[in-house]
Amino acid sequence: KLCNFISAEQHSAALAEEIILCRGLLPFHAPHFCDLILKDNRAAEGDTVTTLDLNLQETAETVLRSRLTDLTNHNVSGAAVVIIDVKSAAVRAMVGSPDFSNAAAAGQVNTAIASRSPGSALKPFIYALALDQGICSPQTVLADIPMNYSGYRPSNFDLAFRGPVTVTEALVSSLNIPAMSLTQKVGLDNTVQTLQRLGISTLRNPPAHYGISIAIGTCEVTLLDLANAYACLAREGTFAPVRLTESDTLTSRLPRVFSTETAFMISDMLSGEARQFDISGHIADTVQTRVAWKTGTSSGRRDALAVAWNPEYVVAVWLGNPDGSAPRDVKGNDAAIAAHSIFRHIYPDGTGPWFERPAGLSTRRVCARSGDLPNRYCA
């Protein structure tokens, strides 16, 4: 029926026009996450309900693209994000690369499960061991001085030494000598075994293969494993394997790796308003949810990592290049900016939860210079 919107000739031409059918675009969400489920044979017959939160997935993807735009001139093409729900151990987001279709940047490589150096990102677990063994407390004084380990002379990231520092200062500043010294004290075997209990699946060699320099990243980890290890701290010291589908069960009695008190102290030391300076150089004008966070920068700055957490989520970010080449002047703090940005999206009003101080944790006065109990030489 003609309604006089078009002419009879136009009507005839439209009817004569060949109809070409083509396949429409199908939904293409979280390809690396979906590939992991398929390769892990987790997909059951029929419908598979995954743990993915599409809103968090899209947030992670958006933040990652924005962060790489900020780093356009730094020769960095790869990035990954893992977000874990602390209570359920569920993976809520996994970004394996900024662009799955970018073949030139190895976009189909899932760098969230690739083995990379963690840099200093394992240090909190070594400090946690030392706290649990009673070797130190947050104000114990450690020595950050030049050391010689059978010809190996480690240095700090800035090549400077600070002399006597508290445990809190050493951990927050990610100093290498104190962390290696504590690794010696808690025991190398104990350190490696604890990291394995935390789910670091890439530690397959004897402890001697890594040496005490494992404290500064002489091993390989995956971002997924690292995020889940931090989830143990966020879960107040208990460990749970990650869940990718809702059919993956979570045992009711989780194995304890660290005491509740130690998990709290690590989170407390690595959080707070003063830590904001390390990200932005100033205290934020707006209220931001409190999170603990730790960075890692591998040898040669090939990998920049950051893990941030609170009682509800763990957010882990990696920046680098899939081919192992080093970006230009990219470090752990660059990844931490992305992790903090994701937390701001999760808690836009800044009212996220924080850990309750355990009843078993007490406070004592110590000598400010030595960190020991007061005595006649130091009040």
Side-chain angles (χ1 to χ4, degrees), residues 143-149 152-156 159-164 176-178 180-181:
D144 181 40
I145 57 177
M147 298 289 287
N148 186 336
Y149 297 102
Y152 171 51
R153 297 177 174 85
S155 60
N156 289 313
L159 304 180
F161 297 96
R162 291 161 178 75
N176 291 337
I177 304 299
M180 294 175 68
S181 298

Side-chain angles (χ1 to χ4, degrees), residues 298-315:
S298 68
S299 177
R301 297 194 179 189
R302 292 179 176 85
D303 307 277
L305 306 98
V307 185
W309 70 97
N310 75 353
E312 292 185 336
Y313 292 103
V314 173
V315 176

Side-chain angles (χ1 to χ4, degrees), residues 71-378:
L71 298 170
T72 297
N73 298 322
H74 292 260
N75 186 38
V76 54
S77 63
V81 174
V82 171
I83 302 178
I84 294 178
D85 183 304
V86 172
K87 184 177 180 180
S88 66
V91 176
R92 298 303 188 197
M94 175 185 288
V95 185
S97 75
D99 185 356
F100 188 83
S101 62
N102 188 343
Q108 294 189 21
V109 174
N110 186 355
T111 49
I113 59 171
S115 297
R116 309 291 299 219
S117 168
S120 296
L122 299 179
K123 287 176 180 174
F125 308 116
I126 295 167
Y127 280 84
L129 277 173
L131 289 168
D132 260 345
Q133 292 182 20
I135 292 172
C136 64
S137 61
Q139 292 303 309
T140 299
V141 174
L142 305 175
D144 181 40
I145 57 177
M147 298 289 287
N148 186 336
Y149 297 102
S150 302
Y152 171 51
R153 297 177 174 85
S155 60
N156 289 313
F157 188 80
D158 60 2
L159 304 180
F161 297 96
R162 291 161 178 75
V165 292
T166 66
V167 162
T168 299
E169 291 171 322
L171 178 56
V172 169
S173 301
S174 201
L175 302 179
N176 291 337
I177 304 299
M180 294 175 68
S181 298
L182 283 180
T183 304
Q184 273 190 321
K185 292 179 180 179
V186 301
L188 178 59
D189 288 0
N190 191 20
T191 298
V192 174
Q193 290 166 8
T194 299
L195 292 173
Q196 290 170 334
R197 290 177 63 200
L198 289 168
I200 306 296
S201 60
T202 47
L203 297 179
R204 304 186 185 96
N205 294 304
H209 172 84
Y210 307 106
I212 63 171
S213 56
I214 194 172
I216 58 176
T218 54
C219 63
E220 292 183 329
V221 304
T222 70
L223 191 68
L224 178 60
D225 282 354
L226 187 64
N228 197 41
Y230 274 89
C232 177
L233 293 175
R235 207 176 289 115
E236 300 181 326
T238 59
F239 173 79
V242 293
R243 298 170 57 245
L244 301 180
T245 69
E246 293 299 344
S247 59
D248 294 335
T249 57
L250 182 66
T251 179
S252 58
R253 297 192 64 179
L254 300 176
R256 179 163 294 282
V257 181
F258 304 117
S259 67
T260 303
E261 292 80 9
T262 282
F264 175 86
M265 284 190 284
I266 294 293
S267 298
D268 185 65
M269 286 189 282
L270 289 173
S271 65
E273 285 190 353
R275 292 279 278 153
Q276 182 65 31
F277 280 103
D278 293 334
I279 290 294
S280 59
H282 61 85
I283 297 296
D285 295 330
T286 58
V287 177
Q288 297 188 25
T289 187
R290 183 175 183 177
V291 297
W293 55 281
K294 182 69 183 75
T295 61
T297 307
S298 68
S299 177
R301 297 194 179 189
R302 292 179 176 85
D303 307 277
L305 306 98
V307 185
W309 70 97
N310 75 353
E312 292 185 336
Y313 292 103
V314 173
V315 176
V317 178
W318 170 83
L319 299 174
N321 292 312
D323 63 2
S325 60
R328 187 180 303 111
D329 193 30
V330 174
K331 51 190 181 298
N333 270 24
D334 293 301
I337 292 172
H340 278 259
S341 180
I342 291 172
F343 265 106
R344 283 195 295 274
H345 279 81
I346 296 174
Y347 306 102
D349 58 358
T351 57
W354 188 243
F355 304 98
E356 290 187 13
R357 178 176 170 135
L361 196 62
S362 59
T363 303
R364 65 182 181 186
R365 289 185 174 275
V366 295
C367 166
R369 290 188 176 273
S370 69
D372 294 330
L373 293 175
N375 55 62
R376 59 177 176 157
Y377 301 108
C378 179

